Amino acid sequence: QVELAESGGGLVQAGGSLRLSCADSGRTLRPYFTGWFRQAPGKEREFVASIGWSKYYADSVKGRFTISRDNAWNTIFLQMNSLELEDTAVYYCACRIGGYSLDPADYPYWGQGTQVTVSS
């Protein structure tokens, strides 16, 4: 049973940075393709970035966000720089067996989410 947990959200001014972390109770995430999604109030959940043997990014975050992992594949990170007001959302970590997918419906395992609020 995969139990993901996110951390690192918070309140930050526009232009600032945050780093989110995602882990499965210390177990390796190596077997899984892991992604970050976000959902703003009144909007659908959207793909942000994902990592397997390659990395993928939504166009809206390219050049500002970086997804990475630790060497043991225990933790997946999302470094968010140059944050914008539009980045305000609940950020979720999710994983799946298989490869790249933008569709949240393809991910069976989800964390509880962490709030990121960008202020002006």
Side-chain angles (χ1 to χ4, degrees):
Q1 181 70 21
V2 177
E3 296 181 355
L4 299 174
E6 305 92 340
S7 61
L11 175 64
V12 63
Q13 284 192 322
S17 298
L18 283 174
R19 188 174 82 155
L20 306 183
S21 299
C22 170
D24 176 25
S25 303
R27 293 177 289 199
T28 181
L29 290 169
R30 181 185 288 274
Y32 304 98
F33 190 88
T34 305
W36 286 96
F37 294 79
R38 66 186 182 186
Q39 188 165 19
K43 295 188 177 181
E44 293 187 352
R45 193 167 297 189
E46 66 174 2
F47 171 81
V48 175
S50 60
I51 185 168
W53 294 111
S54 299
K55 301 176 183 180
Y56 303 89
Y57 297 94
D59 288 343
S60 60
V61 306
K62 278 181 183 175
R64 301 188 298 121
F65 291 10
T66 302
I67 191 169
S68 63
R69 57 170 179 81
D70 64 4
N71 288 337
W73 290 79
N74 286 342
T75 306
I76 306 298
F77 304 100
L78 184 68
Q79 178 66 43
M80 305 186 295
N81 298 329
S82 301
L83 282 162
E84 303 170 352
L85 297 179
E86 294 74 20
D87 295 318
T88 295
V90 177
Y91 282 71
Y92 297 90
C93 174
C95 66
R96 66 188 297 264
I97 298 292
Y100 170 62
S101 175
L102 288 172
D103 188 350
D106 289 337
Y107 291 76
Y109 307 109
W110 290 84
Q112 80 287 354
T114 186
Q115 177 70 47
V116 171
T117 302
V118 183
S119 66
S120 58

